[in-house]
């Protein structure tokens, strides 16, 4: 696992990535808008409009994040998201260190299956995966960022993928402009104490 204590490097950014499945919820009846001195109202009944997925990549020390709405969370969607990250926001990075959990699509085989071995090998020359220990995905700071996204932006009814994309775009642009970083309090010493019997021998910092 990449050591989060490593100094910020523009040529080798450390990016934490995770995904989140969301249920799309619409109103069964048009809500009543708020007025001066009167709160808005909505019916307790709602309409289920299926599910969608968010891919979230956050660079904690630079205060930057990228959020993408996809119809599903499959290996094609995962590889497409990684490819777009490297081609756009991190096009100038020599190598990107990507912190991930151990979901079955988060491995080289997904890149080989989607891109072919030759193209996958070319992409992997610029990206290195670092996995959180099993049963410890909370060590990935992308989970913190997703929690903030839910509380600040998505803790309400969002009816369709288009509306969801508009909301997350506005949220991430505002948060990136402010360069909101994550102040990570869990140190290597904490890891030695709490996880040493299981994980520390596997960590390299």
């Amino acid at each position: 696992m990449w050591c989060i204590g490593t100094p910020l490097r523009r040529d080798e950014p450390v990016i934490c990535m995770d995904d989140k499945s969301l249920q799309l919820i619409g109103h069964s009846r048009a809500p009543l808008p708020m007025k001066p001195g009167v709160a808005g109202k909505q019916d307790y009944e709602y309409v289920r409009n299926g599910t969608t997925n968010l891919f979230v990549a956050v660079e904690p020390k630079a205060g930057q994040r990228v959020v993408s709405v996809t119809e599903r969370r499959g290996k094609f969607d995962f590889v497409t998201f990684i490819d777009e990250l490297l081609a756009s926001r991190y096009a100038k990075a020599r190598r990107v260190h990507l912190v991930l959990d151990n979901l079955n699509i988060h491995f080289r085989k997904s890149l080989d299956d989607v891109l072919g071995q030759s193209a996958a090998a070319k992409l992997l020359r610029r990206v290195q995966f670092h996995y959180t220990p099993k049963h410890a995905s909370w060590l990935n700071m992308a989970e913190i960022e997703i929690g903030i996204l839910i509380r600040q932006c998505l803790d309400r009814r969002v009816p369709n993928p288009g509306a969801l994309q508009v909301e997350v775009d506005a949220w991430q642009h505002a948060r990136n402009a402010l360069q909101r970083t994550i102040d990570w309090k869990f140190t290597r010493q904490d890891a030695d104490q709490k996880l040493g019997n299981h994980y520390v021998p596997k960590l390299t910092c």
Side-chain angles (χ1 to χ4, degrees):
M1 178 180 168
W2 185 259
C3 182
I4 203 61
T6 303
L8 174 65
R9 289 183 57 181
R10 298 296 182 184
D11 62 331
E12 292 200 28
V14 178
I15 302 166
C16 301
M17 179 184 165
D18 205 353
D19 42 68
K20 174 71 174 179
S21 178
L22 289 177
Q23 185 171 216
L24 298 170
I25 299 293
H27 295 290
S28 59
R29 297 174 180 82
L32 299 177
M34 61 180 167
K35 300 177 181 179
V38 180
K41 297 179 178 65
Q42 64 181 26
D43 198 293
Y44 70 91
E45 292 184 347
Y46 56 86
V47 178
R48 298 177 187 271
N49 292 330
T51 60
T52 190
N53 177 72
L54 295 177
F55 283 111
V56 178
V58 57
E59 189 181 353
K61 292 191 174 182
Q64 298 295 302
R65 70 275 303 137
V66 176
V67 184
S68 178
V69 178
T70 61
E71 184 177 350
R72 59 185 61 85
R73 181 188 65 181
K75 59 185 177 183
F76 175 82
D77 308 283
F78 167 71
V79 173
T80 299
F81 183 66
I82 298 300
D83 194 27
E84 291 175 351
L85 272 181
L86 268 65
S88 55
R89 184 175 294 272
Y90 297 103
K92 295 182 179 179
R94 185 179 69 86
R95 175 173 293 175
V96 171
H97 295 273
L98 198 59
V99 180
L100 300 159
D101 62 21
N102 290 271
L103 187 68
N104 62 340
I105 64 170
H106 292 170
F107 293 90
R108 174 173 181 146
K109 186 178 185 304
S110 293
L111 280 75
D112 289 339
D113 291 346
V114 173
L115 302 175
Q117 291 187 352
S118 177
K122 182 178 179 180
L123 185 148
L124 286 168
R125 285 198 289 269
R126 294 190 56 227
V127 62
Q128 184 172 350
F129 294 155
H130 303 271
Y131 295 99
T132 60
K134 292 181 179 179
H135 313 298
S137 64
W138 57 270
L139 288 169
N140 187 343
M141 284 186 277
E143 290 197 359
I144 296 174
E145 195 70 18
I146 289 174
I148 296 170
L149 169 60
I150 298 299
R151 291 194 303 274
Q152 293 184 348
C153 180
L154 302 179
D155 191 18
R156 54 195 172 83
R157 296 176 183 177
V158 181
N160 57 63
L164 179 61
Q165 187 70 67
V166 169
E167 294 294 337
V168 299
D169 282 350
W171 176 84
Q172 67 177 317
H173 290 327
R175 197 161 165 80
N176 284 342
L178 293 172
Q179 295 185 320
R180 294 297 190 187
T181 59
I182 297 175
D183 186 11
W184 184 248
K185 299 294 188 180
F186 193 79
T187 67
R188 176 58 188 267
Q189 289 71 33
D190 294 328
D192 289 343
Q193 181 179 3
K194 296 182 179 181
L195 306 175
N197 291 337
H198 304 285
Y199 301 130
V200 169
K202 298 181 182 179
L203 300 180
T204 56
C205 292

